[in-house]
Amino acid sequence: MSWVDVGAVTELPERGARCVRVGGVAIAVFRTSTGGVFALRDQCPHRGGPLSQGIVHGTRVTCPLHDWVIDLE
């Protein structure tokens, strides 16, 4: 396992996300309103929607395509 520097936490939008590519895989890095930071594949397990474009609420994100709610924790 290795770490990838994606920038300062303050560069991530509060209650939003930023997408980075790691080894050809799109990873969404989320920042919650309380400052929590989470990362997961930028793909909804339901229909493959881009989670980085979803709405962050609490520690969850809602897929922009089909309104599936994904727990970031």
Side-chain angles (χ1 to χ4, degrees):
M1 177 187 283
S2 63
W3 292 92
V4 175
D5 186 353
V6 296
V9 170
T10 54
E11 293 176 0
L12 293 170
E14 189 175 300
R15 292 184 357 205
R18 178 176 171 183
C19 187
V20 296
R21 289 193 101 39
V22 178
V25 177
I27 303 294
V29 183
F30 299 90
R31 181 177 172 204
T32 67
S33 62
T34 59
V37 177
F38 300 91
L40 53 96
R41 189 173 188 157
D42 189 26
Q43 186 176 33
C44 176
H46 177 229
R47 292 277 178 114
L51 293 177
S52 62
Q53 296 176 26
I55 297 169
V56 177
H57 44 98
T59 57
R60 298 187 276 176
V61 62
T62 298
C63 176
L65 296 184
H66 297 96
D67 293 329
W68 265 41
V69 177
I70 310 298
D71 191 344
L72 298 171
E73 294 183 312

